[in-house]
Amino acid sequence: MTKAVIINGSNSRNSRVTAIHEKVENYFKTQGIEVHTNYVHELPAEDLITANFASEVIILENKRVEEADIIVLLTPIYKASYTGILKTYLDLLPQKAFHRKIILPIAVGGSIGHLLALEYALKPILAVLGATTISHSVYIVDKQIIRLEDGSFAIEDEAINRLDVELKQLQQIVLVN
């Protein structure tokens, strides 16, 4: 069975990134892909900040990455880059943790002006972690994700369509490998 890990670098489960996270997770489940989520902000802060490679929680999360076929990295864009929360976890991964994994970077940002943050800030660290199969990044402007009165989210069709294209492409890559 194909396994996926979603590494969510947001600082809350109540952010617009959550809407995209849920869309990706639901897609995987409908395709019969086993999915695990790593909400980085819920990992022990001391282990992240002190780079505690011996932490049982970090070891378990790294094991899930090791066993996964697909890695989805989700992050809001702050200050023209991915979050520091995400970086603290990426620093705890083994040197070639993303080798032979299919990677899909997804970001939500305040304006189209931060579109290249994925290309110039996130993709280099993915390469250092051994990633050789990186799908086209998906960047979504936060205005395309509307928070509804009941607390749920609605995503504009244009953003959903771009995300769906990449998710389907991921599935094709998995079938080939």
Side-chain angles (χ1 to χ4, degrees), residues 28-48:
F28 285 152
K29 288 179 178 177
T30 63
Q31 300 303 310
I33 297 171
E34 182 181 321
V35 63
H36 168 76
T37 294
N38 173 343
Y39 290 99
V40 178
H41 76 277
E42 294 178 0
L43 296 176
E46 186 170 343
D47 291 344
L48 292 169

